[in-house]
Amino acid sequence: MLKLPITLSEIAPRISAGAFILNSGLGKRAADEEAAAGMHGFAAGTYPFLQKVSPQQFVQGLSAAEIAVGAALLTPFVPTFTAGVALTAFSGGLLGLYLKTPGMRKPNSLAPTEQGLSLAKDSWLVGIGIGLMTRGLTERRPRVTVKKATKRANKQAKLAAKDARREARAAARG
């Protein structure tokens, strides 16, 4: 039987986040110049290093990143920790837009304004990413069944008994 690097409890968050992000990335592939300029201007206002990138290049890169992250989440062969890192990094950038862009939050609060609501929802993606990373780190210890553990213990006991007999014979001779 093929053993996947994910568990049943990881499937729902991976599918919900992965499908959402993949769909968003696929939708941006055909962005026109006006849409590209709008997305680029918004992102470059928060992340000034993006001003050096053309709007069309930015949107194509964003689209590719979203497609890659969405596909990683939806592919069961991608380990949970790896998918969680990708999601956390990507959604952390989105959450940064929410936290750093003026007018997205109510004064002196983390609560979103009407304009910030669409970005504030990205906090659930950060939560899923951190959860997947944590699960990938803590739940990946090798699991041993009782039957396998008993078999190992019996084998070790036999080896120990054999070693003890050898030592007893050597002590008797010597």
Side-chain angles (χ1 to χ4, degrees):
M1 186 169 127
L2 179 66
K3 184 163 170 61
L4 296 176
I6 64 171
T7 63
L8 286 175
S9 63
E10 298 160 11
I11 292 173
R14 286 181 70 154
I15 288 175
S16 63
F20 183 86
I21 294 170
L22 179 63
N23 182 61
S24 179
L26 292 172
K28 286 180 179 72
R29 286 186 307 172
D32 61 22
E33 287 186 31
E34 184 179 334
M39 285 184 258
H40 178 259
F42 184 67
T46 302
Y47 298 114
F49 69 91
L50 292 174
Q51 291 172 353
K52 297 176 185 174
V53 179
S54 75
Q56 205 59 42
Q57 254 186 323
F58 169 75
V59 171
Q60 291 306 310
L62 179 60
S63 172
E66 287 181 337
I67 291 168
V69 171
L73 287 162
L74 293 171
T75 304
F77 299 104
V78 174
T80 297
F81 179 77
T82 304
V85 167
L87 178 57
T88 302
F90 179 76
S91 58
L94 295 175
L95 200 56
L97 284 172
Y98 170 68
L99 294 172
K100 295 178 181 180
T101 304
M104 296 293 116
R105 296 181 294 128
K106 293 178 181 174
N108 303 316
S109 173
L110 289 176
T113 61
E114 193 66 34
Q115 297 81 16
L117 199 55
S118 64
L119 286 174
K121 57 116 178 88
D122 293 328
S123 62
W124 66 272
L125 293 173
V126 173
I128 291 172
I130 292 170
L132 290 173
M133 284 175 30
T134 302
R135 177 118 177 128
L137 285 174
T138 61
E139 298 295 322
R140 293 293 168 226
R141 293 188 186 110
R143 295 184 180 140
V144 178
T145 64
V146 172
K147 185 176 180 179
K148 198 172 194 177
T150 303
K151 188 176 178 179
R152 284 183 186 172
N154 288 339
K155 186 176 181 179
Q156 288 175 343
K158 285 180 185 179
L159 288 173
K162 189 176 180 180
D163 288 343
R165 285 192 298 271
R166 267 193 225 133
E167 288 178 18
R169 275 185 256 160
R173 287 187 213 141

